[in-house]
Amino acid sequence: MRTKHKKTYKGHNVWRSYSDLMAGLLLLFVLVMCISFMQAQKNYQERLEEESAHQQTTSLMQSQLDEQQALLNEQESELDEQAALLAAQQADLDEQSALVTSQQESLDAQSALLAQQESELADQEALVASQQEALDEQAALVASQQATLEEQQQKIEQIIGVKADLIADLKQEFDAQNLSVTIDETDGSILLDSSVLFGFNEYSLTEEGQALLAQILPVYCSVLLSDEYFDYLAEIRIDGYTDTSGTYFSNLQLSQSRAFAVASYLLELGTISSSELELLEEKLSVNGHSWADPVYAEDGSIDADASRRVEIKFSLKDEDMINELSEILNTTTAETEAEADTESGSEADTATADIE
């Protein structure tokens, strides 16, 4: 029995040991579980804290991200605006580039035109220089001609002065002789009415005509043949004229015969000294002009009575040449002034063209 009890007790100890072991294991398991739970709790708490911190960080980052997104959106909007502005500026730049290209082309064309104008200007300057040289030569020639013309003008004025003095002396001498004689102020001629000197269609002097010529001709010739004027005297002319009735040749013969009759009476008058007569024969000329140069009435018709006349006139040496020179002088002066005006206008146009 005792042995059995020992075996029972021994068995009981085993189970007790096993139970203790199991209790210990359980306690250890519980302890481990508690420790694990505590550790898990701690880890969970830490994780919660970490998650909370992470959540805060995430929130902060999200806030920052939202701010950055807003800023990015704002920047993107600004970028879009800048892109639109850049596109507009690019369009303006393209337009300006096209304008610059057009202006460059225009500038190139203007440069080519300027080069052409400079070439033309150089040609014009050369032409102006040539014209100026020719003008200088012409000016020198004009100056020479002007000097010659001035010399001739002085001679003309001298002859005109002599002629004026001669006409004045003729008037004075006729007045001194109480003779009513009309002397032409221009050429110093005396007009004698044919109706007083001759009968109609006659060339023989009437007594009244002879008396008139005896009074007038010696006085007229004495002044012309005086020492003061003889050296200037070229010719004393007696010219006969008729009216327009009849033929030209019959009137030519009649006018010539009347002029000869007056000249013959003058040369045979006897009141002129022999020395004056020699001088008169040297200077006297007689001409018949038929119906040439008729005298016209105020209404434009031919005055037949006035056309039948004898004219006694004189001319001075070189007077015809001087009259021609006077005309040339006036013509040359007018042409010179016209050329000067023309050249002044050309120079002004050239200057204007150069400026343009």
Side-chain angles (χ1 to χ4, degrees), residues 157-173 183 219-236 276 279-280 282-283 314-319:
E157 292 174 354
Q158 180 182 5
I159 294 297
I160 292 174
V162 169
K163 190 170 187 178
D165 292 342
L166 198 158
I167 293 173
D169 287 347
L170 284 172
K171 290 182 178 180
Q172 183 177 358
E173 190 63 27
I183 300 177
V219 177
Y220 191 80
C221 292
S222 65
V223 175
L224 292 174
L225 300 175
S226 64
D227 294 337
E228 184 178 359
Y229 298 113
F230 183 77
D231 291 337
Y232 295 99
L233 185 64
E235 185 181 28
I236 298 175
E276 289 181 340
L279 297 176
L280 180 60
E282 179 183 341
K283 303 293 184 180
F314 66 88
S315 62
L316 302 180
K317 289 180 179 178
D318 299 329
E319 187 174 6

Side-chain angles (χ1 to χ4, degrees), residues 112-130:
L113 179 60
L114 180 60
Q116 181 181 358
Q117 289 176 344
E118 288 177 350
S119 176
E120 292 177 354
L121 179 60
D123 294 339
Q124 290 178 353
E125 288 177 349
L127 178 60
V128 168
S130 175

Side-chain angles (χ1 to χ4, degrees), residues 83-275:
L85 179 61
L86 183 61
Q89 291 177 345
Q90 184 63 39
D92 291 340
L93 184 60
D94 293 339
E95 183 178 354
Q96 290 177 354
S97 178
L99 179 61
V100 169
T101 301
S102 176
Q103 290 176 343
Q104 184 63 40
E105 293 176 354
S106 176
L107 183 60
D108 293 339
Q110 290 178 352
S111 297
L113 179 60
L114 180 60
Q116 181 181 358
Q117 289 176 344
E118 288 177 350
S119 176
E120 292 177 354
L121 179 60
D123 294 339
Q124 290 178 353
E125 288 177 349
L127 178 60
V128 168
S130 175
Q131 291 176 342
Q132 184 63 42
E133 183 178 355
L135 182 61
D136 293 339
E137 293 178 357
Q138 290 179 352
L141 179 61
V142 168
S144 175
Q145 292 176 343
Q146 187 66 31
T148 302
L149 290 174
E150 288 177 357
E151 181 180 353
Q152 293 172 347
Q153 182 66 28
Q154 292 177 357
K155 189 174 182 181
I156 290 170
E157 292 174 354
Q158 180 182 5
I159 294 297
I160 292 174
V162 169
K163 190 170 187 178
D165 292 342
L166 198 158
I167 293 173
D169 287 347
L170 284 172
K171 290 182 178 180
Q172 183 177 358
E173 190 63 27
F174 281 122
D175 291 340
Q177 298 294 330
N178 293 322
L179 296 175
S180 179
V181 178
T182 301
I183 300 177
D184 189 283
E185 295 284 348
T186 303
D187 57 10
S189 62
I190 298 174
L191 180 62
L192 302 175
D193 190 351
S194 291
S195 63
V196 177
L197 300 178
F198 307 100
F200 182 76
N201 207 26
E202 298 288 340
Y203 56 86
S204 297
L205 288 170
T206 62
E207 292 182 0
E208 183 181 1
Q210 291 177 1
L212 179 63
L213 293 176
Q215 290 178 329
I216 295 175
L217 294 182
V219 177
Y220 191 80
C221 292
S222 65
V223 175
L224 292 174
L225 300 175
S226 64
D227 294 337
E228 184 178 359
Y229 298 113
F230 183 77
D231 291 337
Y232 295 99
L233 185 64
E235 185 181 28
I236 298 175
R237 297 201 307 271
I238 300 177
D239 296 327
Y241 298 87
T242 66
D243 59 21
T244 55
S245 61
T247 65
Y248 175 82
F249 289 105
S250 63
N251 281 299
L252 178 63
Q253 183 178 4
L254 179 60
S255 62
Q256 186 77 37
S257 297
R258 287 178 172 177
F260 276 137
V262 173
S264 297
Y265 183 76
L266 173 60
L267 295 174
E268 297 172 357
L269 188 58
T271 58
I272 300 176
S273 65
S274 58
S275 60

